[in-house]
Structure formats: C-alpha cells, structure tokens
Amino acid sequence: MTNFKKPACKLIGTDGNVFALIGKASRALNKAGYSEQSKEMSKKIFNAGSYEEALTIIGEYVEIE
C-alpha cells in the first residue's frame, strides 16, 4: 500500500457485529478514495479466522477512533 494514508474511522461504540465494522471501515475507505483498498480489506477479513484477526486487519486500513 504505497502512498496510503489511513482514513479515520469511528468504530468505538459501534455494534460489535463484524459486518457492521466492515461496513463502517469500507465507507471510510471509499470516502477517502481508496475503493481498491476497501475491497482488499473486505476480502482479507472474510478469510480471517477470528474476530480479533478481523479487527487487526481493519486497523491496518483505517485509523480506529
């Protein structure tokens, strides 16, 4: 991810459902013009083995607030 500045994303206080978190993070990425990174992140998360791994992946793409 060259020249990639992670957009801020308020996840704290969001429903802990992984799909809700993916949706918020994806919207933040798309709004910042990173639609390819949004798709890449989602694909990685759907292949993740746990909720914690999914959160780690989200943190690689957005600044969690």
Side-chain angles (χ1 to χ4, degrees), residues 12-58:
I12 296 171
T14 301
D15 176 4
N17 177 320
V18 73
F19 297 107
L21 299 176
I22 293 168
K24 275 197 140 181
S26 290
R27 282 190 294 280
L29 287 163
N30 287 323
K31 185 176 179 183
Y34 296 123
S35 61
E36 286 303 311
Q37 286 82 356
S38 173
K39 292 175 194 170
E40 181 180 293
M41 177 194 70
S42 296
K43 185 176 180 179
K44 285 183 179 181
I45 291 170
F46 289 124
N47 289 314
S50 68
Y51 182 80
E52 289 77 20
E53 186 179 350
L55 288 177
T56 299
I57 293 166
I58 290 171

